[in-house]
Amino acid sequence: MKESFVRPGMNRRQFLSVIGGAAVAAGVSTIPTFARAAAPLALPPLPYAENALEPVISARTISFHYGKHHKGYVNKLNELIKGTKFADMPLEQIIIATSEKTNETPIFNNAAQTWNHTFYWNSLRPNGGGAPPAKLKKKIEESFGSQEACEKELAEAAVSQFASGWAWLVLAGDKLKVLKSPNANTPLTAGLKPLVTIDVWEHAYYLDYQNRRADYVNAVISKLINWEFAAKNLG
Ligand code: FE2
């Protein structure tokens, strides 16, 4: 397992305790939307209108989050990789190639944030939540005992992530796991396959919920989480 998912804020011991020390070789996510054929990298379109997630997440939040933050990561990444060996590399490869390279941290951060945000937009949908598709539901029940237990663990990870970061449901070996990661860190660098994520940077919720991160997280899980996207990623 690569170390880079353990970057700032989480040491290797803590990370291994989270994932139960599993030796994972799930491979990099094969979700096709993030690959690119040529530079510069384009900001992927939102999969819905900016107001489609209201009232859980306002159009104003999405406008800033997607139109300023996500776009900013893409633009910065393009600026950083222009004329370098990363210029024509698929996004996932840039992330993996720059993880653990301290001299490439700005590229890693902007590449991982570009990927994480696209994954986040797809992890949500209007009228989400509810029951997952049958195959995913079975996997959730095998791994957590029940959907309720899975959602509780995901919420706890999202709420307890100190400062900025992400909560993830991933496939680790043949089991589903809940993880949290600080800053731009992504399970891709540990060879884990993400199914869904929740952004818990303050820019994801502060305009709507101020300091009430738990309210944002619980509303996202019960009303927006895109189980169909998760099922597609499970394969
Ligand atoms: Fe974000």
Side-chain angles (χ1 to χ4, degrees), residues 12 21 44 77 89 117:
R12 181 175 175 78
L77 178 62
M89 210 179 263
H117 278 88

Side-chain angles (χ1 to χ4, degrees), residues 75-86:
N75 290 347
K76 186 68 182 174
L77 178 62
N78 281 325
E79 188 185 309
L80 290 168
I81 63 177
K82 191 175 181 185
T84 73
K85 64 182 175 184
F86 304 112

Side-chain angles (χ1 to χ4, degrees), residues 65 117 166 199 203:
H65 196 175
H117 278 88
W166 301 84
D199 187 343
H203 63 225

Side-chain angles (χ1 to χ4, degrees), residues 4 16 26 47 62 64 70 104 120 146 152 155 177 184 186-187 192 194 202 215 223 226-227:
S4 47
L16 288 175
I62 299 288
F64 278 99
H70 193 183
E104 308 285 14
Y120 169 65
S146 66
K152 186 165 180 281
K177 300 265 186 188
T186 170
L192 301 165
E202 283 188 348
D215 289 353
K223 294 173 180 163
N226 188 345
W227 290 123

